[in-house]
Amino acid sequence: MNNRFKLGNYSLYLMLLPGLALIVIFNYVPMAGLAIGFQQFNPTKGLFGSEYIGFENFKYVYSLDDTMTVLRNTVSIAVMKMIAGLIVPIVVALLLNEVGKAYFRKGVQTLIYLPHFLSWVILAGILMDVLSPSTGIVNQFLGLFGIKPIFFLGNPSWFQPVLVISDVWKEFGFNTIVYLAALTGINPNLYEAAQMDGAGRRKQTWYITLPGILPIIILLATLSLGNVLNAGFDQVFNMYSPVVYSTGDIIDTYVYRLGMINFQFGVATAVGLFKSVVSFVLISVSYMLAYRFANYRIF
Amino acid sequence: MVRRKSPGRTAFIYCNYTLLALLSLLCIFPLIQVLAISFSSSYAAASGLVRFFPVDFTLDAYKYVATKPEFLRSFGITIERVLLGVSINMLVTILVAYPLSKDSSQLRFRTAFVWLFVFTMLFNGGLIPTYVVIKDLHMLNSIWALVLPGALPIFNVILLLNFFRNIPKELLEASFMDGANQWSTLWRIVVPVSLPALATITLFATVGHWNAWFDGIIYMNQPDKYPLQSYMQTIIVARDMSNLSLDDIDKLKNVSDRNIKAAQIFLGALPILLIYPLLQRFFMTGIVMGSVKE
C-alpha cells in the first residue's frame, strides 16, 4: 500500500484547496462570527473588540412582542407550504400518469415546470400585477361573479393563503418530476396481474401505484421536516409590506430588518443563531430518519 | 386483452384532460398577461383593458426601457456576473468533486473532507455574520461579493461526484497505465466523458446567477452596481419613485408605470425562457444523476 503517497496523489489534495479555502472563508468564518449574537457588537471594534454580554440579546428579543408573532407566522406558513407542496405534486403526477397521449403529457409538463426557473423578483412583479385590486385580472375575473375587489397582498387574512398558493404554483410542476420518475419505476407486470384478477383502474391506483411511490413520498416528507423554520425569504420579502407584517413577517425578514435596516447586529445575529441551531437539529433528525428507514444517503 | 372503456372511465379521461389543460394554462397565463400589457398603450394598461392580447399595440414601453441607462447598466453587470461566476463555479466544482469521488485508499480522510463540505449545507452563520465577513474583506461594492461567496454550490458537487464515481474504473486505470497523472486524467478523460453532467450543472449555475438578487441588495451600497434582478427588485417590487429624474418623469407621461414594469419583468425573464428548452432537457438528467448512487 505504498502507492498511497505516490506523488500523483498529492495533486488530489491540491485540487481540494480552492474549494476548501472558499468554504472556510465564506462558511466557517461566518459560523465563528455567530459569536456576534453574544456581543454588544460594534462594527468599528469588530468581532474581537466588541463587548461580551452573554445572553442579553436573546433576552431582549424574547421580550419583544413581535418575536412570538414572527415565530408563529414562520411555522404556520412553512408547514402549510410543506403539506400543500407534498400533496399537489402527487395528485398531478397520478393524473399525468393516466394520460395516454404522449404529446399531451409532454406539453403539460413543459408548461408546469416553467415558473420554477423564474426568480421571486420576477414572479412577485407578475403577482402584484395580476392580484392588484384596481387593474388586476384576478379581481376582474372575480368581479364577473359580483365579488368586490380583494386586496390580496394588503390584507393580513389573505396574505398567508396567497403565499402558500403562489409557492405551490411555482414549485408543483418541478416536484411532479420526482414522482413521475418513481411511477415509471413500477413493474408493469403488477398491473397485468391485477387486471387478470379483475382489478379496475381505481383499485390499481390504490393498491399498486400509490404503494409503489409511497417510499418516495415518505422520503420527501421526512426530508422536508428540516424546513419548518424556512417560510421562504425570497418570496415573502418580495411580496410583503408593513400592512401585512402581522401575518406575513417571518424570521428571515425579521433578521434582515433588525440587522440591515436597524443595524442591531447583535440582536439580529441572536435571532439568526436561534434559527440556524433549530434548523440544524431538524435537518439532522430528518436525515437520520431518512437514512434509517429509506436507506437514503446524501453522498 | 383489450376491453371497451366503461362510461365512467371515459368521463374520467375527459375530466382529467380538461383539468390538466387548465392547470398548465394557469402556469403561463400570468406571464402572457404581463407580455400583453407590455405591448399595450399606457392608457389601456392603466385602465385595466388588457386581457391576453395587447390593446393599442405599441413598443413604447420597450423603447423607454431601452433608453434607460440604469436598466442597461444592470443588465451588463448581470452578464458579467454570470460569465465570471459560472466559470469559477464550474472550475471549483470540478476540482472538488474529482478528489472526493475517489475512495479513502486514494484520498486519505475522504469522509472527513466530504463532511467538511456537506456540513455547510446543514448549518450556516446566517445573514449578519456573513455580511460582516464580506465587509471586513473589503468586498462590498465589488463584483467578487456576488461571485465568490456562492462559488461552490455543494449540491452540484454531490451531483458531480456521484457522476464521477460511476465512470468505469478501467477507463481511469488505462489512463494511469499510460503514465498520465491525476491532473491530466481529470482534464483529458474524466471531464470529456462527463459532459452531460457538466452541462446540467452549468445550466443550474447560470440560472442561479441570473436569478440572484439579494446579494446585490446587501453587498452593493450603490444602486449603479446592482445586477439586473436587484435593480428590478428595487423598481418593480419596492416601487420607489424617488430616484426618478425630471427627464424620466417627462418620458413617463407617454407611458404608464404599469406597462413599463411589465416590459422589464418580461425582459428579466426572457433569458430563462430562451434557455428553457435546454433546461428542460437537462434537469431530468440532473435529478436522475443525483439519485444514482453506488
Side-chain angles (χ1 to χ4, degrees):
Chain A
M1 286 312 271
N2 233 349
N3 63 358
R4 180 181 294 167
F5 287 105
K6 257 205 255 170
L7 189 67
N9 285 355
Y10 279 104
S11 51
L12 289 178
Y13 299 92
L14 276 179
M15 288 176 192
L16 282 177
L17 265 186
L20 282 174
L22 281 171
I23 60 158
V24 167
I25 297 172
F26 295 111
N27 295 94
Y28 284 99
V29 175
M31 284 182 210
L34 281 168
I36 293 171
F38 301 97
Q39 291 177 336
Q40 179 77 50
F41 187 71
N42 181 337
T44 50
K45 287 184 190 159
L47 186 59
F48 297 103
S50 296
E51 191 196 346
Y52 173 78
I53 52 167
F55 282 87
E56 284 308 310
N57 289 327
F58 292 87
K59 282 181 196 152
Y60 171 73
V61 173
Y62 188 70
S63 74
L64 292 176
D65 290 338
D66 290 343
T67 306
M68 277 304 134
T69 315
V70 164
L71 193 60
R72 205 168 41 234
N73 291 341
T74 307
V75 175
S76 119
I77 294 169
V79 170
M80 281 196 290
K81 280 184 181 176
M82 277 158 54
I83 295 171
L86 190 72
I87 295 171
V88 176
I90 297 173
V91 173
V92 175
L94 289 176
L95 292 180
L96 268 176
N97 198 40
E98 295 294 322
V99 169
K101 303 208 169 19
Y103 70 88
F104 185 82
R105 200 164 46 213
K106 259 210 127 139
V108 171
Q109 287 182 10
T110 305
L111 297 180
I112 63 177
Y113 299 160
L114 182 61
H116 169 80
F117 291 99
L118 300 174
S119 72
W120 271 117
V121 172
I122 301 275
L123 293 180
I126 294 177
L127 287 170
M128 283 165 112
D129 192 293
V130 298
L131 294 177
S132 144
S134 53
T135 51
I137 195 152
V138 172
N139 275 312
Q140 287 181 347
F141 179 74
L142 293 177
L144 296 179
F145 303 97
I147 299 170
K148 283 205 190 102
I150 300 167
F151 193 3
F152 289 103
L153 294 176
N155 182 333
S157 43
W158 272 105
F159 192 66
Q160 287 196 4
V162 169
L163 286 179
V164 175
I165 293 169
S166 56
D167 185 66
V168 170
W169 172 71
K170 181 180 196 284
E171 302 296 347
F172 83 92
F174 190 74
N175 295 330
T176 304
I177 306 176
V178 183
Y179 296 109
L180 283 176
L183 285 171
T184 57
I186 297 175
N187 186 348
N189 293 340
L190 290 176
Y191 291 106
E192 273 174 35
Q195 270 174 2
M196 293 290 187
D197 293 344
R201 282 287 191 157
R202 206 176 319 156
K203 282 204 163 153
Q204 290 175 31
T205 304
W206 194 249
Y207 291 107
I208 299 174
T209 315
L210 268 181
I213 58 171
L214 195 62
I216 295 278
I217 297 177
I218 293 175
L219 177 64
L220 292 186
T222 314
L223 291 180
S224 75
L225 284 180
N227 283 328
V228 168
L229 292 187
N230 267 336
F233 174 79
D234 283 25
Q235 181 193 17
V236 175
F237 188 78
N238 284 312
M239 286 168 64
Y240 83 157
S241 56
V243 207
V244 292
Y245 278 175
S246 60
T247 58
D249 199 13
I250 58 169
I251 294 181
D252 294 315
T253 49
Y254 193 47
V255 170
Y256 172 81
R257 288 201 317 278
L258 284 173
M260 307 306 290
I261 308 288
N262 301 343
F263 295 109
Q264 294 176 286
F265 278 20
V267 181
T269 307
V271 180
L273 177 61
F274 166 77
K275 190 201 160 192
S276 288
V277 170
V278 175
S279 293
F280 176 65
V281 172
L282 290 171
I283 296 173
S284 306
V285 169
S286 69
Y287 275 49
M288 246 142 46
L289 288 174
Y291 175 71
R292 178 145 319 163
F293 297 111
N295 205 13
Y296 172 83
R297 287 173 300 153
I298 27 177
F299 59 88
Chain B
M1 199 168 80
V2 182
R3 255 190 294 173
R4 294 270 317 268
K5 284 171 187 153
S6 68
R9 177 75 190 153
T10 316
F12 167 77
I13 290 175
Y14 279 114
C15 289
N16 191 19
Y17 274 72
T18 315
L19 188 70
L20 287 171
L22 282 176
L23 209 56
S24 337
L25 292 179
L26 198 66
C27 287
I28 52 155
F29 262 172
L31 206 61
I32 292 178
Q33 215 232 344
V34 167
L35 187 62
I37 291 169
S38 73
F39 283 115
S40 299
S41 71
S42 60
Y43 172 76
S47 38
L49 298 172
V50 187
R51 299 282 184 276
F52 298 110
F53 292 99
V55 176
D56 307 337
F57 183 90
T58 164
L59 291 174
D60 281 356
Y62 289 93
K63 282 183 191 146
Y64 174 79
V65 173
T67 58
K68 230 178 161 186
E70 297 92 342
F71 186 85
L72 299 174
R73 187 169 50 215
S74 60
F75 200 92
I77 293 171
T78 291
I79 301 285
E80 189 186 344
R81 95 170 269 180
V82 168
L83 292 178
L84 189 65
V86 173
S87 320
I88 295 179
N89 272 12
M90 291 310 293
L91 183 68
V92 185
T93 306
I94 292 172
L95 286 180
V96 168
Y98 179 67
L100 295 184
S101 71
K102 304 284 173 190
D103 49 37
S104 325
S105 68
Q106 292 187 67
L107 184 82
R108 285 227 287 172
F109 314 116
R110 173 189 177 266
T111 317
F113 280 124
V114 175
W115 273 112
L116 203 58
F117 286 103
V118 168
F119 186 71
T120 64
M121 289 206 318
L122 309 179
F123 190 75
N124 60 69
L127 177 68
I128 306 300
T130 312
Y131 173 80
V132 171
V133 168
I134 306 271
K135 183 168 168 284
D136 287 351
L137 290 170
H138 301 287
M139 280 167 60
L140 293 187
N141 287 327
S142 135
I143 186 105
W144 298 109
L146 308 179
V147 167
L148 289 181
L152 188 65
I154 307 299
F155 181 72
N156 291 356
V157 173
I158 294 173
L159 284 186
L160 198 59
L161 96 83
N162 282 326
F163 192 90
F164 284 170
R165 285 172 107 174
N166 290 333
I167 296 175
K169 297 261 182 308
E170 298 76 26
L171 208 58
L172 303 183
E173 274 158 20
S175 162
F176 293 129
M177 287 291 198
D178 291 342
N181 56 25
Q182 298 283 4
W183 189 258
S184 55
T185 306
L186 170 59
W187 297 112
R188 296 218 188 113
I189 311 286
V190 175
V191 166
V193 302
S194 309
L195 285 183
L198 292 171
T200 309
I201 292 174
T202 310
L203 282 171
F204 284 167
T206 310
V207 173
H209 270 292
W210 180 271
N211 281 343
W213 57 275
F214 187 58
D215 47 6
I217 305 263
I218 53 173
Y219 298 141
M220 302 292 126
N221 291 334
Q222 299 143 328
D224 63 341
K225 296 245 165 65
Y226 278 175
L228 186 63
Q229 299 275 336
S230 309
Y231 164 73
M232 296 198 6
Q233 206 279 332
T234 56
I235 55 140
I236 296 170
V237 179
R239 283 173 289 189
D240 182 10
M241 295 290 278
S242 59
N243 49 12
L244 287 179
S245 65
L246 273 179
D247 189 37
D248 280 335
I249 292 168
D250 186 48
K251 281 184 199 153
L252 272 176
K253 272 193 228 148
N254 288 327
V255 206
S256 85
D257 202 13
R258 194 178 178 211
N259 57 352
I260 297 177
K261 273 184 191 165
Q264 295 185 93
I265 289 174
F266 182 69
L267 289 174
L270 187 61
I272 300 285
L273 301 179
L274 289 178
I275 62 165
Y276 186 59
L278 278 179
L279 278 171
Q280 236 214 326
R281 217 176 87 206
F282 281 108
F283 65 58
M284 202 67 183
T285 344
I287 284 174
V288 175
M289 236 164 46
S291 57
V292 177
K293 274 165 233 158
E294 280 184 71

